[in-house]
Amino acid sequence: MSRVPAWAYLPAALGALLVTLPVLGLVAAIDLGSLPTLLTSPAALDALWLSLRTSTAATVLSLLLGVPLALCLARVPRLDSTLLRTLVLLPLVLPPVVAGLALLTLLGRRGLLGSQLDALGVDIAFSTAAVVIAQTFVAMPFLVVSLEGALRAVGDRHEGVAATLGASPGVVLRRVTLPLVRPALVSGTVLTFARALGEFGATLTFAGSLQGTTRTLPLEIYLQRETDPDAAVALSVLLVVVAVVVIVLARPWQVRR
Amino acid sequence: MSRVPAWAYLPAALGALLVTLPVLGLVAAIDLGSLPTLLTSPAALDALWLSLRTSTAATVLSLLLGVPLALCLARVPRLDSTLLRTLVLLPLVLPPVVAGLALLTLLGRRGLLGSQLDALGVDIAFSTAAVVIAQTFVAMPFLVVSLEGALRAVGDRHEGVAATLGASPGVVLRRVTLPLVRPALVSGTVLTFARALGEFGATLTFAGSLQGTTRTLPLEIYLQRETDPDAAVALSVLLVVVAVVVIVLARPWQVRR
Amino acid sequence: AGCADDETTLTVLAAASLREPMEQLAADLEAEHDGVEVRLSFAGSSELASQVLQGAPADVLVTADEPTMARVADAGLADGAPELVATNRMTIATPPGNPSEVESVDDLGEDHGGDLDLVVCAPQVPCGAAAQRVAETAGVTLAPVSEESKVTDVVAKVAAGEADAGIVYVTDTAGRDDLDAVEIPDRLNTTTAYPAAALTGSAHPELAREMTDLVVADGAGEGRGRLAAAGFEAP
Amino acid sequence: MSGLSVRLRDVARRVAVDLSMQAGRTTALLGPNGAGKSTVLTAVAGTHRPDEVDVRLGGRDLSGLAAHRRRVALLAQDPLLLPHLDALDNVAFAPRAQGRGRREARRLAAGWLETVGATGLEDRRPAQLSGGQAQRVAIARALAAEPEALLLDEPLAALDVDAAPEIRHVLRQVLAGRTVVLVTHDVVDAALLADQAVVLEQGRVVESGPVTDLLSAPRTPFAARLAGTNLLQGRAVDGGLQATDGTVMRGIGGEQLAPGTAAVATFRPDTVAVHAAPPGGSPRTVLPGEVVAVEPSGSAVRLRVRSTMGVLVADLTPAAVAELDLRTGARVHLAVKAAAVRISQA
Amino acid sequence: MSGLSVRLRDVARRVAVDLSMQAGRTTALLGPNGAGKSTVLTAVAGTHRPDEVDVRLGGRDLSGLAAHRRRVALLAQDPLLLPHLDALDNVAFAPRAQGRGRREARRLAAGWLETVGATGLEDRRPAQLSGGQAQRVAIARALAAEPEALLLDEPLAALDVDAAPEIRHVLRQVLAGRTVVLVTHDVVDAALLADQAVVLEQGRVVESGPVTDLLSAPRTPFAARLAGTNLLQGRAVDGGLQATDGTVMRGIGGEQLAPGTAAVATFRPDTVAVHAAPPGGSPRTVLPGEVVAVEPSGSAVRLRVRSTMGVLVADLTPAAVAELDLRTGARVHLAVKAAAVRISQA
Ligand SMILES: Nc1ncnc2c1ncn2[C@@H]1O[C@H](COP(=O)(O)OP(=O)(O)OP(=O)(O)O)[C@@H](O)[C@H]1O
Ligand SMILES: Nc1ncnc2c1ncn2[C@@H]1O[C@H](COP(=O)(O)OP(=O)(O)OP(=O)(O)O)[C@@H](O)[C@H]1O
Ligand code: MOO
Ligand SMILES: [Mg+2]
Ligand SMILES: [Mg+2]
């Protein structure tokens, strides 16, 4: 009865194994005995707490800016330019280190904008704000891409009907457009949060690695790996667990009832 | 006439600036005079060529495994489990370093599978194959996620009609399902290629860094940064250009005519 | 931390290889001064230098080689001339038990190392340059399977058993049970020096100087003593 | 048995039916909105899986088969053209899926498009078609599948006054000799295209038999309204039928029914006389009522009158309507001669 | 002028019309599939932007206004219910959008659902509704908007035989006094719901005027077929009309037309006599032809006969049909008395 061709199961299983086995291997590799000590060290707790705060902030910022951006890209015909869309997609494809470099050239103390801000006494680089900016920079495009695709896929016919029923653009957005793309909005938000949570290269380059201020969980893992690989694995699993919890918690909101 | 609420333009513009300005800043920062020398050094050319080959291989592998996987996740009701989907999403959210660690625990010389392969004389670590595996691991979920979302969004009603017209699941896949999700398939493929192209942390951890064999463009950039920041910026811009070319070339295929 | 008025935070950037002694020295300083918190950031030396040049708010910098520190000093960001705090030497690291039976630098050459996976630092970074010098002195051409950007990446690969051997700092193998060291004789070995400097951007110049002095100070339990205990040699 | 038989139960939709349709014949599936007609069709086609289902076609058991192996084409209520193909390729889809070459399939498709009057639309994408144009293309696509059984869900809705009879004519020729199930709300389609009829109400079969029987002697109120006939339900009494409200409708044909048996009375709209005041005279039933609708019906005018026995329909000449000044809301008296009322067992 | 006027040109769709509709009246928009009816409606509602458009309603210029400021509700051909809301909230959407509280809006919505016979479906999502149920909810939703002008695109398609007259009845009450444009393929809807009628063909207005005029004296073949009347086009000659094939149809009323003027001849189907052999006798036209369709029409039977002058329609009693054994393909002779044929200027 399934409409999936029978031959598709084999590559699908291989694909699933390729992406899941390494993670399972990681989980299998942790040393359960030392786990509590490893995970409750002040450094680990600081890193976890910082990661949660910055990822949440980056996600909120991404929603505030990314939802309107996706909406404009999908619904304003004039903006439907390859150039703009490409620029918005770029952070997805930049190596994080390059992303960090790019942020430094803009917002670093000697950066184009950073030098102006420096004169005003505002110093962004190597602060917690820099972490949030780096995370937003790399993570927001996830939201924009998944939302824009969904907006195009659902089309604007229902929005048209709602407008003829007297709904203003704001009401249409709130009561028609966003509910229609809710699954994409939720999964985009989850991806954004998760990507922000895992952000490493851009943070390291743009924000540095200072316990409690800019050393997020991935940076702590990187650092631990140099001296204590077991601790690094344990922290990685902690990160995996946080990501899984977020994905699982968001799941019911994604299903279109 | 546009149905986007007027207030949405401001945050949209801010969002667009946030993600585009740093990249533009990067481009503005390059020293045009030394560009030709920097970009045509053997190390840079080796890295570019290696990156193009491995990213293409990773993209093809992702398509071969990822399309069936997305299809099964979206269309086989039994598989619609949060667990499997979460596992498939995980590589998206893992910090690349953790992804590299995970690959090592599975395929490393002392890994679960790697030790078996080692006994058979197959050595993956430090080979170009390891680069492709690392890139596929982190990039394939992009394809799976965007494709699965699109498959759910278009629904299966057209597939049902095609089946009643006598089309077997294979024909339905080729002539109905894939054409219907073509925009998502193309953008998913582009994202996958771009993510593979930018892969850094997992490659470094799992495959190492040897010119011509495993040192891809992002790794070359990382190394150059230690000694010659200008060269790093120039190479970063090269990478941006490659990514832009791919995105732009793919664009016409994405538009549903 | 850092919310109370009487609490001062001192930020110290240090080369990754200095991690253990620096953590102890930071604790020493905190013990001496009530309300002072020392925050440490460890990374590759070049990385740290770049951060300082980009305006990272920091009080003290300790790097793993002099040219890197010179970049910071030349930019006028060092408060006074940098002072050497320690030196380091190279060694061959292998997985525990040395399964590939590496005995000397000769065994790492391309004519011997057919199926030996050797990992070193890239020549562009300090530890790679040092490895290169060792190989040249021994008259060996290295055939590594990977050239890393940081010594810690070499250490990690050998410790994980992914590589059969790596050329690293002596201090990297000290006190680790997941690494064995194969000594490189003095006639082939090379020395690297670690300079420290207080930074001009510091908000607590007094304290920054004090920390620098602490690192270079003589005597067991302080500066050099801590460094020596971790395997570093005096400059 | 070589026809099409369906047994299904769908709890969520409250549908449970057991039907058999003859091979080579067209069966009209009739019933009010939400009765379960589309559910039956999609279950037969295999695109919807009810909780329990058993479908047999020409001796084959389709129940476990995938939709594409059933050789059953479904024209769904929503045309669902493939948006990425133009009209020609939509129609050519089934021949291609069945293994014909591209040119051959397109040639066949062009023929079917011509048959449904959609020549000239070959290159249009579904988004560029009007509602009726899309419907025509969808009909052509279903026909081009040349299936063993054809399921048509309201195929003539959305078609214009020229197209409807034309396509009805096409369907009549194409459907001859095939096993067809046709869902429709239009009695003309049922009468002209179908041999058999099945009436569903609330997920149950309430009536089935030859279309002509259904139209001439409906047994349920829905079928009667569909047939344009009046039907009253009640119990047989001497010389007529007693409705639930107690009123007796006098009629003939109920002589052999035991009093109290469930029975129906049917009478044609043109046998109902309409008076402004209660008329006198012999064996007839007179019912007061209120006109609720006035509609043209062929060259006559049809009144719907709400009486104590329910809504009854009367056909009058336009002249009579004008003379009596009948409009919605008018109070009238309906007189029905006993000789025109047929009482039969329910 | 206070009604609704539309002038538009859409090059891609080949539509160019200029229409005015009276305020407070219902105008039926008729025409074959693809004529441009939905295009006109969507242009008025503001959901489609033709190349040139000028829409005025009650003195307001709507052309530049966003759809939500037009106070024009559109019931599109596809119901397009909001999939994430249940039926009640779909209907409550417009009142809510217009600022009413949730409870108030729901209360109103429940009333409208009851009006269209959709009580009991309140909690259903659109995906859980049958085709006809969805259509009813969509009607309720458009009505609940209480707009200044209401645009209905085939509102009664997909409705069952019970619902269609019921909802037609509801619409008749609700539409009274409103400015309404109604697209339909059903002459009954036009006759019962509309005051005025406009016929579009191939993107152009070909006829417009009061519905009664259109139905009693259609001037275009499409309108004639819609009205169920016969219409022939040609030139006036002495005592009749000469069709393009040269045949003369004798008729009255063309006396004051100069010979050669473009003219039409109209005659009702029940004035056409059908004979097996050519009949003799005075002032009548006799045309040989072939029966192409036999359909019920009210309580009569309607024949469509292809003659040299085109397809003509004749209504007979069932008895006559049986007696002459008329079925598709039978060769017959049609006789039309001159007195029944009206010649008028085209
Ligand atoms: N997906 C669904 N889930 C639950 N109930 C449904 C679903 N689809 C339809 N129904 C309900 O099942 C019943 C039968 O629906 P069906 O579509 O078979 O009716 P129908 O006879 O085709 O009606 P119509 O003439 O209006 O098309 C209706 O009450 C309907 O509301
Ligand atoms: N999006 C579109 N792009 C191009 N042409 C279109 C588009 N939509 C409709 N058309 C064409 O425009 C013409 C008018 O279409 P419209 O939908 O207005 O017809 P209609 O009178 O409503 O027909 P129907 O009775 O079939 O619904 C048709 O020829 C149709 O094929
Ligand atoms: O600065 Mo290092 O010690 O070469 O990584
Ligand atoms: Mg249905
Ligand atoms: Mg239309």
Side-chain angles (χ1 to χ4, degrees):
Chain A
M1 104 129 281
S2 151
R3 291 192 198 101
V4 177
W7 55 256
Y9 287 95
L10 181 63
L14 283 178
L17 288 179
L18 174 65
V19 290
T20 57
L21 274 189
V23 179
L24 297 179
L26 194 68
V27 174
I30 52 173
D31 173 9
L32 282 176
S34 56
L35 205 55
T37 7
L38 291 176
L39 296 186
T40 52
S41 74
L45 291 180
D46 269 5
L48 176 63
W49 177 228
L50 180 68
S51 271
L52 290 177
R53 277 186 302 144
T54 53
S55 305
T56 304
T59 305
V60 171
L61 194 58
S62 296
L63 282 170
L64 291 178
L65 304 181
V67 171
L69 183 55
L71 204 64
C72 289
L73 284 175
R75 291 284 187 270
V76 181
R78 271 165 292 143
L79 290 183
D80 182 16
S81 87
T82 305
L83 182 69
L84 183 59
R85 177 167 298 101
T86 303
L87 284 175
V88 170
L89 282 181
L90 268 184
L92 279 182
V93 318
L94 286 184
V97 179
V98 174
L101 274 181
L103 285 169
L104 275 178
T105 59
L106 184 73
L107 293 171
R109 186 180 283 187
R110 300 180 183 172
L112 302 175
L113 224 81
S115 49
Q116 319 280 321
L117 291 174
D118 201 37
L120 297 174
V122 180
D123 209 356
I124 293 178
F126 307 107
S127 65
T128 304
V131 177
V132 174
I133 290 176
Q135 291 178 341
T136 307
F137 179 75
V138 298
M140 187 172 78
F142 278 77
L143 184 69
V144 175
V145 164
S146 53
L147 207 56
E148 195 211 340
L151 284 169
R152 288 183 180 274
V154 301
D156 61 0
R157 301 175 66 209
H158 287 102
E159 295 171 6
V161 171
T164 72
L165 294 171
S168 66
V171 172
V172 170
L173 179 64
R174 193 159 36 80
R175 300 241 306 142
V176 180
T177 312
L178 292 183
L180 281 178
V181 296
R182 197 183 63 184
L185 184 61
V186 175
S187 64
T189 306
V190 170
L191 282 182
T192 301
F193 180 82
R195 179 70 183 84
L197 191 66
E199 212 310 295
F200 165 71
T203 309
L204 187 64
T205 311
F206 179 53
S209 169
L210 200 62
Q211 185 177 336
T213 306
T214 60
R215 189 180 298 149
T216 55
L217 202 44
L219 271 65
E220 175 70 22
I221 292 171
Y222 187 65
L223 195 60
Q224 283 295 337
R225 203 181 137 246
E226 296 172 353
T227 48
D228 187 350
D230 284 345
V233 170
L235 287 175
S236 299
V237 172
L238 177 64
L239 193 80
V240 169
V241 169
V242 174
V244 168
V245 166
V246 170
I247 297 180
V248 170
L249 284 184
R251 185 74 195 143
W253 293 97
Q254 234 174 307
V255 180
R256 176 171 290 167
R257 283 163 310 188
Chain B
M1 105 130 276
S2 152
R3 293 192 196 100
V4 177
W7 54 257
Y9 286 95
L10 181 65
L14 283 178
L17 288 178
L18 174 64
V19 289
T20 57
L21 273 189
V23 178
L24 296 179
L26 195 68
V27 173
I30 54 173
D31 172 8
L32 282 177
S34 55
L35 205 56
T37 9
L38 290 176
L39 294 186
T40 53
S41 74
L45 290 180
D46 270 4
L48 176 62
W49 176 229
L50 180 68
S51 272
L52 290 177
R53 278 187 301 145
T54 52
S55 304
T56 305
T59 307
V60 170
L61 194 59
S62 296
L63 281 170
L64 290 179
L65 305 182
V67 171
L69 182 54
L71 204 65
C72 289
L73 285 175
R75 291 287 186 269
V76 181
R78 270 165 292 142
L79 290 183
D80 182 15
S81 85
T82 305
L83 181 69
L84 184 59
R85 178 167 298 102
T86 304
L87 284 176
V88 170
L89 282 181
L90 267 185
L92 279 182
V93 318
L94 287 184
V97 180
V98 175
L101 276 181
L103 284 170
L104 278 178
T105 59
L106 183 73
L107 292 171
R109 199 187 271 188
R110 295 182 183 173
L112 303 175
L113 224 81
S115 47
Q116 320 279 320
L117 290 174
D118 201 37
L120 297 174
V122 180
D123 206 355
I124 294 178
F126 305 115
S127 67
T128 305
V131 178
V132 174
I133 290 175
Q135 291 178 342
T136 307
F137 179 75
V138 298
M140 188 171 78
F142 278 77
L143 184 69
V144 175
V145 165
S146 52
L147 208 54
E148 195 211 339
L151 284 169
R152 289 183 180 275
V154 300
D156 61 1
R157 300 176 65 208
H158 287 103
E159 296 171 7
V161 171
T164 72
L165 294 172
S168 65
V171 172
V172 171
L173 179 64
R174 191 160 38 81
R175 301 240 306 141
V176 180
T177 312
L178 292 182
L180 281 177
V181 296
R182 198 184 61 184
L185 184 61
V186 175
S187 65
T189 305
V190 170
L191 284 182
T192 302
F193 180 84
R195 179 70 184 83
L197 191 66
E199 212 311 294
F200 164 70
T203 309
L204 186 67
T205 311
F206 178 55
S209 169
L210 192 67
Q211 183 176 336
T213 306
T214 58
R215 189 179 295 151
T216 55
L217 204 45
L219 271 65
E220 176 70 23
I221 292 171
Y222 185 64
L223 187 60
Q224 282 296 336
R225 220 181 126 242
E226 301 279 338
T227 48
D228 186 351
D230 284 344
V233 169
L235 287 175
S236 300
V237 172
L238 177 63
L239 194 80
V240 169
V241 169
V242 174
V244 168
V245 166
V246 170
I247 297 179
V248 170
L249 284 184
R251 186 74 194 144
W253 294 97
Q254 234 174 309
V255 180
R256 178 171 291 168
R257 284 163 310 187
Chain C
C3 357
D5 271 354
D6 55 348
E7 194 149 301
T8 312
T9 303
L10 193 74
T11 304
V12 177
L13 308 182
S17 38
L18 290 168
R19 182 161 181 182
E20 216 175 304
M22 286 307 294
E23 279 176 348
Q24 294 164 355
L25 287 166
D28 293 347
L29 189 77
E30 283 175 351
E32 263 171 53
H33 296 271
D34 250 9
V36 168
E37 193 198 356
V38 179
R39 285 208 262 168
L40 293 162
S41 177
F42 299 102
S45 304
S46 313
E47 177 82 51
L48 295 171
S50 300
Q51 289 182 9
V52 171
L53 292 170
Q54 289 285 356
D59 302 291
V60 176
L61 173 69
V62 191
T63 64
D65 72 337
E66 288 165 293
T68 309
M69 181 59 88
R71 276 165 60 202
V72 175
D74 292 351
L77 295 174
D79 183 8
E83 291 181 69
L84 293 186
V85 297
T87 61
N88 210 344
R89 293 170 75 74
M90 307 309 284
T91 189
I92 300 171
T94 69
N98 191 2
S100 304
E101 294 170 0
V102 176
E103 282 165 11
S104 68
V105 179
D106 279 348
D107 293 340
L108 304 179
E110 59 187 350
D111 33 350
H112 295 278
D115 51 355
L116 179 108
D117 283 352
L118 172 69
V119 178
V120 297
C121 287
Q124 289 93 328
V125 296
C127 60
Q132 198 62 42
R133 288 199 296 275
V134 169
E136 271 164 26
T137 316
V140 187
T141 311
L142 299 178
V145 293
S146 183
E147 296 176 343
E148 306 292 338
S149 302
K150 281 170 48 190
V151 70
T152 42
D153 285 332
V154 176
V155 171
K157 286 203 163 66
V158 177
E162 292 302 320
D164 301 312
I167 302 180
V168 301
Y169 297 115
V170 168
T171 51
D172 290 319
T173 56
R176 285 185 67 138
D177 52 10
D178 54 355
L179 282 179
D180 275 2
V182 177
E183 209 173 305
I184 299 176
D186 284 350
R187 62 185 169 87
L188 300 178
N189 217 328
T190 182
T191 300
T192 54
Y194 288 70
L199 298 172
T200 52
S202 173
H204 317 284
E206 305 276 288
L207 211 51
R209 274 249 66 88
E210 196 174 327
M211 182 72 200
T212 319
D213 290 345
L214 185 63
V215 177
V216 296
D218 228 331
E222 293 195 336
R224 185 137 318 132
R226 296 276 198 207
L227 287 163
F232 290 91
E233 292 166 25
Chain D
M1 66 148 297
S2 69
L4 170 63
S5 73
V6 197
R7 204 152 43 71
L8 72 85
R9 219 161 63 83
D10 189 307
V11 178
R13 303 192 182 184
R14 301 180 191 221
V15 176
V17 299
D18 188 347
L19 283 174
S20 4
M21 286 155 277
Q22 294 172 24
R25 296 292 173 84
T26 297
T27 304
L29 194 54
L30 308 165
N33 292 137
K37 306 180 294 296
S38 300
T39 300
V40 171
L41 257 49
T42 48
V44 172
T47 57
H48 169 63
R49 295 250 141 185
D51 303 290
E52 284 172 31
V53 64
D54 183 78
V55 182
R56 282 159 207 282
L57 173 62
R60 289 188 298 143
D61 182 356
L62 303 187
S63 322
L65 283 187
H68 71 285
R69 296 193 195 284
R70 295 191 176 197
R71 297 209 298 274
V72 170
L74 168 65
L75 172 64
Q77 212 163 349
D78 176 344
L80 285 176
L81 295 176
L82 299 171
H84 58 288
L85 298 180
D86 62 24
L88 189 68
D89 283 337
N90 261 284
V91 180
F93 185 90
R96 292 272 287 142
Q98 290 161 16
R100 307 218 190 214
R102 174 185 297 249
R103 299 190 62 170
E104 164 82 350
R106 290 217 171 137
R107 201 181 51 70
L108 288 170
W112 285 112
L113 279 177
E114 194 186 338
T115 306
V116 299
T119 306
L121 302 178
E122 287 84 355
D123 306 333
R124 301 266 190 98
R125 293 284 173 118
Q128 300 171 323
L129 295 173
S130 78
Q133 289 167 342
Q135 184 67 16
R136 292 180 199 214
V137 175
I139 293 172
R141 185 176 64 170
L143 294 176
E146 306 259 11
E148 197 173 323
L150 190 56
L151 311 175
L152 304 173
D153 207 341
E154 304 193 30
L156 300 174
L159 294 186
D160 67 40
V161 66
D162 287 341
E166 241 175 60
I167 291 185
R168 199 180 287 130
H169 184 66
V170 169
L171 286 179
R172 191 144 43 166
Q173 297 180 330
V174 177
L175 303 188
R178 290 180 197 258
T179 307
V180 180
V181 186
L182 170 76
V183 169
T184 180
H185 290 301
D186 187 345
V187 67
V188 174
D189 294 340
L192 293 176
L193 297 175
D195 312 295
Q196 301 285 316
V198 174
V199 179
L200 295 187
E201 276 190 82
Q202 299 185 330
R204 301 285 180 284
V205 175
V206 294
E207 196 166 353
S208 71
V211 162
T212 46
D213 288 7
L214 181 104
L215 294 182
S216 60
R219 314 203 144 254
T220 57
F222 181 83
R225 287 190 298 275
L226 200 66
T229 292
N230 290 298
L231 179 143
L232 297 172
Q233 289 175 304
R235 318 216 141 261
V237 293
D238 191 29
L241 169 128
Q242 184 165 35
T244 42
D245 72 333
T247 325
V248 172
M249 171 67 69
R250 308 182 60 114
I252 56 176
E255 292 74 19
Q256 64 279 65
L257 297 180
T261 328
V264 293
T266 51
F267 48 101
R268 301 221 320 268
D270 57 0
T271 62
V272 179
V274 179
H275 302 266
S282 55
R284 47 169 66 182
T285 310
V286 175
L287 297 166
E290 184 192 340
V291 177
V292 292
V294 186
E295 298 166 6
S297 159
S299 37
V301 174
R302 175 158 294 181
L303 298 188
R304 293 178 180 269
V305 179
R306 179 170 300 122
S307 75
T308 54
M309 292 181 104
V311 175
L312 297 177
V313 173
D315 279 356
L316 279 78
T317 60
V321 173
E323 194 190 310
L324 292 166
D325 192 19
L326 293 174
R327 53 184 71 198
T328 306
R331 306 213 59 93
V332 293
H333 293 261
L334 302 179
V336 194
K337 272 193 278 190
V341 178
R342 223 177 98 162
I343 308 291
S344 39
Q345 192 158 8
Chain E
M1 68 149 292
S2 69
L4 170 64
S5 73
V6 198
R7 203 154 42 71
L8 71 85
R9 220 162 63 82
D10 189 308
V11 178
R13 302 190 182 184
R14 304 183 188 217
V15 176
V17 299
D18 188 346
L19 283 173
S20 5
M21 285 156 277
Q22 294 173 26
R25 295 294 173 84
T26 296
T27 304
L29 194 55
L30 308 165
N33 292 136
K37 306 180 295 295
S38 299
T39 301
V40 171
L41 257 49
T42 48
V44 172
T47 59
H48 169 63
R49 294 250 143 186
D51 304 289
E52 283 172 32
V53 66
D54 183 77
V55 183
R56 279 158 209 283
L57 173 62
R60 290 188 299 142
D61 181 357
L62 304 187
S63 323
L65 283 186
H68 71 285
R69 298 195 194 284
R70 296 192 176 198
R71 298 209 298 273
V72 169
L74 168 65
L75 172 63
Q77 213 163 348
D78 175 343
L80 284 177
L81 295 175
L82 299 172
H84 57 289
L85 299 180
D86 62 24
L88 188 68
D89 282 338
N90 261 284
V91 179
F93 186 88
R96 293 271 287 142
Q98 289 162 18
R100 306 216 191 215
R102 175 185 296 249
R103 297 189 66 171
E104 164 80 350
R106 290 216 170 137
R107 202 182 49 70
L108 288 170
W112 283 113
L113 280 178
E114 193 185 340
T115 307
V116 299
T119 305
L121 302 178
E122 287 84 355
D123 306 334
R124 299 268 190 99
R125 293 285 174 118
Q128 301 170 321
L129 295 173
S130 77
Q133 289 167 341
Q135 184 66 15
R136 292 180 199 214
V137 175
I139 293 172
R141 185 177 63 170
L143 294 176
E146 306 258 13
E148 196 173 325
L150 190 57
L151 312 174
L152 304 173
D153 206 341
E154 305 193 27
L156 300 174
L159 293 187
D160 67 40
V161 66
D162 287 340
E166 240 174 61
I167 291 186
R168 199 179 287 129
H169 184 65
V170 169
L171 285 179
R172 191 147 41 169
Q173 297 180 329
V174 177
L175 304 187
R178 289 181 197 258
T179 307
V180 179
V181 187
L182 171 76
V183 170
T184 178
H185 290 300
D186 189 343
V187 67
V188 175
D189 293 340
L192 294 177
L193 298 176
D195 313 294
Q196 300 285 316
V198 174
V199 179
L200 295 187
E201 276 190 82
Q202 300 186 331
R204 301 285 180 287
V205 176
V206 293
E207 197 167 353
S208 70
V211 162
T212 46
D213 289 7
L214 181 107
L215 294 181
S216 60
R219 308 197 151 257
T220 58
F222 180 83
R225 286 192 297 276
L226 201 64
T229 291
N230 290 299
L231 178 144
L232 296 173
Q233 289 176 305
R235 319 216 141 260
V237 294
D238 190 30
L241 170 129
Q242 185 167 35
T244 42
D245 71 333
T247 324
V248 172
M249 172 66 68
R250 308 181 62 115
I252 57 176
E255 292 74 19
Q256 65 279 62
L257 295 179
T261 328
V264 293
T266 50
F267 46 102
R268 301 222 320 267
D270 57 357
T271 62
V272 179
V274 178
H275 302 267
S282 57
R284 49 168 65 181
T285 309
V286 176
L287 295 167
E290 184 192 340
V291 176
V292 293
V294 184
E295 297 165 7
S297 159
S299 38
V301 174
R302 176 159 291 182
L303 298 188
R304 291 177 182 269
V305 179
R306 178 171 299 122
S307 76
T308 55
M309 291 181 103
V311 174
L312 297 177
V313 173
D315 280 355
L316 279 78
T317 60
V321 173
E323 192 190 309
L324 291 167
D325 192 20
L326 293 174
R327 54 182 70 197
T328 307
R331 306 213 59 92
V332 294
H333 293 262
L334 302 180
V336 193
K337 270 193 277 190
V341 178
R342 223 175 97 158
I343 310 290
S344 41
Q345 194 161 7

